[in-house]
Amino acid sequence: MDFDAIVIGSGITGGWVAKELCERGLKTLILERGRQINHRADYMDFAPPWEVPNRGMVPEDEKAEHYAIQSNNYAFNSATKQWFVRDSEHPYSTPSGRPYTWIRGYHLGGRSITWGRLSYRMSDYDFNANKLDGHGVDWPIRYADLSPWYDRVERFIGVSGAAEGLEQLPDGQFLPPMGLTCVETAFKQKIEADHPSRRVTVGRCAHLTEPLPEHIALGRGPCQLRNVCERGCGYGAYFSSLSGTLPAAKKTGNLTVITDAIVERLDYDHAKRRVSGVRVIDAKTNQGRSYQARVVFLCASTIGSAQVLLNSRSEHFPNGLANRSDAVGRYLMDHVVGIGAVGTHPGFLDRYYYGRRPTGFYLPRYINITENEGVDFVRGFGFQGHSSRSSWRRAINEPGVGAELKNRLREPGRWEVRLVGFGEMLPRAENRVTLDKRADQWGIPLPHIDVTHGENERRIAERANRDAAQMLAAAGFENITTNGPVRPPGHSVHEMGTVRMGRDPASSVLNRHNQAHDVSNLFVTDGSSMCSSGTVNPSLTFMALSARAANYAADLFGSGEI
Ligand SMILES: Cc1cc2nc3c(=O)[nH]c(=O)nc-3n(C[C@H](O)[C@H](O)[C@H](O)COP(=O)(O)OP(=O)(O)OC[C@H]3O[C@@H](n4cnc5c(N)ncnc54)[C@H](O)[C@@H]3O)c2cc1C
Ligand code: SF4
């Protein structure tokens, strides 16, 4: 055996698995399809505005030619585009008229560099949902199974946030919270007075407001509130694989990382019911090679992991490895976005904010929890919110000309609050990833992604728009417009569900420990393992699942069971 364990992917989940396995003493190899990135040296966070190409803008012809999909993401700009794949080099297919926005980055650290760092726990409202309303399979775990792993992950990554005592948004191990602006505080007071079961809290985000000794030991420093996080942070002040899990894994002396290693497929030994080899194509030389280990963790992200399994066909698994249930690739979910509302406030003109704040506020789900009268759909939505005062750039909408207009624009404009809804998407078998007949430049079949929103998602969107507009109006906002149209699936970059866990091997791929029902040494711990999507940003849950599964695998490894 080359290694004790192989981890495929070095993003948010692969980093966590590698750290836990290395700390448990397993010689661990990370195979990462993208290029090497050097923490700090390869970031542009210290570039002053005038050194950022085109002040952040990417030329339209370059976007059209190379980044037709990726440039839809809010974090895409001239200082971050190296964290996004070139769509021209990494195509996938969708059915005509059914677009899917697959946002990704192939490099060491994956999307842990670009993520928005919002970190919320799921609750038993989420883990019980499938069982109660019959959509999807019952989760084989509950909140109590994951709670200690949420604790472990939060302590390590560092999550700034305020405890609220809400059942639907469990509290965690928080560093000091950031603050609300004056207009957010007024909004909070009004909404909570009108609706005692609704809550407005500051965003819970993976930033070190006050680093603990274990953060400092890894070279991480306190957040300087610069708001250029998506460029990568040289202070290591927000959590990424590069600032957190990979350095911790490296410290053990047990980690090997190979970049530019595209995992093409997994070989299967039917006699032993195990993965017997991981086949890799070198991204630069196109040469193939294979690695062996006693345990294999697939953490290539929800669509990437499904692609690898579907491409790992064998006599015993003709539809793809571990796919006796035919669930691999199915039940793809992403949060419904493009919903909510925005409005401006006539007041607080004598108030401003100083400095920056790399998070917003959050209004957790209340529908079908504390408010269910007249609701004609299952599940619900939460709102992420932001407030700001408009700058001189509002000139385009301001009446007037000449000196008077210019003088007026010297002052900040009105306060604006935007409520951005994130709606739950149901797991449906027909929303699936399959393999296209066409192949990429390395000969690997392209993913074909076929996903649509259903009636429940449409109703969620309507209600989220209505509630957002009503809350803003009640809090004294004017010029209210609802968001929309609903964006195509994929847009929220919260894809989940294609290799789901479940109790029954006939309808699910993984058991309650993210271990394949049918392949004892194969674990899949990224978002593909999720049975339902909940309403919160999901990466904290992916990390908790990854840490839990890695420690379970290390136990089995120690006892010789795998
Ligand atoms: C702009 C943006 C904002 C976001 N904001 C938030 C947020 O606020 N909160 C939140 O919870 N989530 C957020 N997300 C989503 C979050 O980034 C993902 O949920 C998370 O990164 C998923 O972790 P992962 O390990 O599954 O995938 P990734 O982090 O994408 O890592 C997968 C890795 O696998 C590698 N890989 C893929 N295929 C192969 C292969 N065949 N062989 C070898 N390696 C392979 C990739 O190169 C990549 O490095 C955001 C994402 C983006 C882009
Ligand atoms: S806001 Fe904090 S995490 Fe973001 S770039 Fe600045 S120091 Fe780093």
Side-chain angles (χ1 to χ4, degrees), residues 11-13 32-33 73 106-107 110-111 116-118 263 493 539:
I12 284 190
T13 60
E32 166 54 54
R33 70 171 295 158
N73 188 266
Y106 291 161
H107 45 256
R111 290 174 293 184
R117 292 108 32 221
L118 291 170
V263 172
V493 207
S539 303

Side-chain angles (χ1 to χ4, degrees), residues 48 332 350 397 516 550:
L332 181 59
D350 58 337
N397 295 319

Side-chain angles (χ1 to χ4, degrees), residues 353-369:
Y353 50 85
Y354 298 93
R356 302 184 175 110
R357 184 190 59 176
T359 190
F361 64 88
Y362 192 58
L363 201 163
R365 178 179 153 195
Y366 48 87
I367 286 287
N368 287 327
I369 291 183

Side-chain angles (χ1 to χ4, degrees), residues 45 117 207 222-229 232-235 237-238 358:
D45 56 328
R117 292 108 32 221
H207 287 251
C223 181
Q224 311 291 316
L225 309 174
R226 301 177 299 163
N227 281 27
V228 289
C229 316
C233 177
Y235 295 109
Y238 77 84

Side-chain angles (χ1 to χ4, degrees), residues 8-14 31-34 73-75 103 105-107 110-112 114-118 261-263 299-301 308 493-494 526 537-539 542:
I8 301 167
S10 64
I12 284 190
T13 60
L31 293 170
E32 166 54 54
R33 70 171 295 158
N73 188 266
Y74 72 90
I103 303 293
Y106 291 161
H107 45 256
R111 290 174 293 184
S112 76
T114 39
W115 76 310
R117 292 108 32 221
L118 291 170
I262 305 173
V263 172
C299 301
S301 81
V308 171
V493 207
H494 290 167
D526 55 33
N537 308 58
S539 303
F542 302 171

